[in-house]
Amino acid sequence: MRLPQLGALGQRRLAASRVAVIGAGGLGAPVLSYLAAAGIGEITVFDPDTVDATNLHRQVLFGDADMGRSKAVAAAERLRALNPEISVRAVARTVTPASALEMLDGHHLVLDGTDNFPTRYMASDACEILDLPLVWGSILAFSGQVSVFWGAGGRGVTYRDVHPVPPRPGEVPSCSEAGVLGMLCGVMGATMAMEAVKVLAGLGDVLFGRLALYDALRARWDELPLARDPQRPAVTEIEDVMVTCGLPGPTGPATDELTVAELPALLAEGVRVIDIRETHELADGMVAGAEHVPMAELLALAGRSDASGTSVPADGAESSGLSAAAAGLEGAVLYCAAGSRSASAQRVLAERGIAVRSLRGGFGAVEGSGIEVGLPG
């Protein structure tokens, strides 16, 4: 309050603000910590995932005692302890294209700290429709990006102006596949929180129409100007891009996985082994005896979930049980490049009553293990 650019008026604006944070992971942890400490009046935390040991080096809201707990619930408890004067709501459910408008409506600003493309497009589309500012951040290895998107009634820049076409599944690795330096999350998350406070308090020059890029190894910030594509129509409905660019599922290991040492015996028993990578990833071969079903097709076989979480067959027809194709997945072993996508697929299928196992380490663990590898087809 002693800062003349902020003052008592700016602090009252923060206290009156309602903010939604999608993701309580590497970026969400510092974002949430600083927003709560800054006195944001109401914070909604969206995250369907649970705390895992692999999270702790970068998701500093959590400790060893939180292992297995809901991230949203654990984060909300920490924020209330940090600042009892604010209101924090935990939503341990996935924000879906069907539910996004309802779940985000009523907030003044949204922050997206997720690590998958379907959620990024969904958050941007929902914010454009609701005319909400969106603070977006992304991290991988030693690099990060931050920007502020705002549709502004069809005149502003959004995530779709930066990335018009969603990447294909497997085209861009996730943090769990490629790794990320824990301290990078703090740098980028704090920057996202700073931009959020600037937007809400009317402070300084916001990163609107600019993309800030940080290289931790060079300790250097760079900046790219952004402009709206004049040919891009305003978003009027939320597109579900899961089929075109991958699964927006929980991070962390599978709830049922096996090691590469267990795979030969299962192959000998005739257990169904499914390579869920994309076709362009098969150049180095695939496990001999496995079949290739890209992840999007696999999930389509099992049907998708509607906003309520009820299983819906891929053709949209009502069904009280699994289709024959979905039932055929029961007991299968899934593998991808490094184990991340198969773990996400395993967990989602488990929620739909289909028990499969994920190969820890994916095809990367198979190479050099002595397991026979052949070319597809």
Side-chain angles (χ1 to χ4, degrees):
M1 291 174 65
R2 293 178 178 174
L3 296 169
Q5 297 90 341
L6 185 68
L9 176 60
Q11 192 64 59
R12 287 196 297 271
R13 288 173 175 169
L14 298 182
S17 297
R18 297 186 299 275
V19 171
V21 179
I22 307 177
L27 289 173
V31 162
L32 289 164
S33 299
Y34 278 110
L35 292 183
I40 299 296
E42 297 182 22
I43 300 175
T44 306
V45 185
F46 294 100
D47 199 311
D49 205 1
T50 56
V51 179
D52 179 77
T54 60
N55 304 147
L56 300 184
H57 77 103
R58 66 190 185 280
Q59 299 179 17
V60 293
L61 270 178
F62 312 118
D64 189 70
D66 295 313
M67 298 272 284
R69 298 186 65 205
S70 160
K71 286 185 180 179
V73 173
E77 289 181 4
R78 290 288 297 274
L79 300 184
R80 295 187 192 107
L82 174 64
N83 189 345
E85 297 184 5
I86 66 172
S87 172
V88 185
R89 183 167 65 103
V91 181
R93 292 187 290 121
T94 301
V95 183
T96 68
S99 65
L101 295 179
E102 179 183 356
M103 296 174 81
L104 298 180
D105 192 24
H107 295 90
H108 297 127
L109 178 142
V110 178
L111 295 100
D112 176 16
T114 59
D115 66 350
N116 65 83
F117 287 95
T119 304
R120 291 170 182 169
Y121 281 96
M122 177 200 64
S124 177
D125 290 349
C127 286
E128 182 168 355
I129 293 171
L130 295 170
D131 199 21
L132 295 175
L134 171 68
V135 180
W136 168 79
S138 175
I139 51 175
L140 189 67
F142 302 98
S143 303
Q145 302 177 9
V146 178
S147 189
V148 178
F149 302 127
W150 202 339
R155 302 181 305 277
V157 178
T158 75
Y159 187 75
R160 286 189 176 273
D161 295 300
V162 183
H163 298 288
V165 180
R168 295 173 298 178
E171 189 172 359
V172 180
S174 66
C175 287
S176 57
E177 291 174 312
V180 61
L181 187 68
M183 290 70 73
L184 177 69
C185 303
V187 174
M188 307 312 294
T191 303
M192 292 173 66
M194 173 68 77
E195 292 303 306
V197 167
K198 286 162 61 179
V199 171
L200 295 170
L203 178 69
D205 187 8
V206 174
L207 269 175
F208 178 65
R210 295 181 291 147
L211 179 65
L213 304 99
Y214 179 66
D215 185 335
L217 294 182
R218 296 188 303 146
R220 181 175 299 172
W221 284 92
D222 297 302
E223 186 177 292
L224 293 175
L226 302 178
R228 185 182 182 90
D229 179 359
Q231 303 302 316
R232 182 178 72 81
V235 174
T236 57
E237 60 182 22
I238 301 177
E239 175 192 5
D240 186 353
V241 301
M242 183 183 74
V243 173
T244 56
C245 73
L247 172 72
T251 58
T255 56
D256 189 359
E257 62 180 2
L258 69 151
T259 66
V260 70
E262 301 173 79
L263 189 58
L266 295 175
L267 286 166
E269 294 172 9
V271 171
R272 189 178 184 185
V273 178
I274 304 175
D275 187 324
I276 67 169
R277 296 177 296 168
E278 295 304 298
T279 302
H280 70 275
E281 298 180 82
L282 305 183
D284 294 330
M286 54 188 291
V287 173
E291 59 184 293
H292 177 228
V293 182
M295 183 172 65
E297 295 181 19
L298 182 85
L299 295 176
L301 288 175
R304 288 166 34 200
S305 293
D306 64 13
S308 66
T310 304
S311 180
V312 179
D315 60 4
E318 295 294 333
S319 173
S320 59
L322 298 175
S323 66
L329 297 174
E330 186 75 21
V333 173
L334 311 182
Y335 73 87
C336 59
S340 176
R341 281 171 284 168
S342 60
S344 293
Q346 183 273 321
R347 294 174 67 161
V348 170
L349 291 175
E351 293 175 356
R352 299 175 188 175
I354 304 172
V356 299
R357 303 180 73 184
S358 170
L359 179 64
R360 185 186 304 168
F363 188 71
V366 172
E367 295 178 299
S369 68
I371 294 176
E372 184 181 355
V373 173
L375 294 177

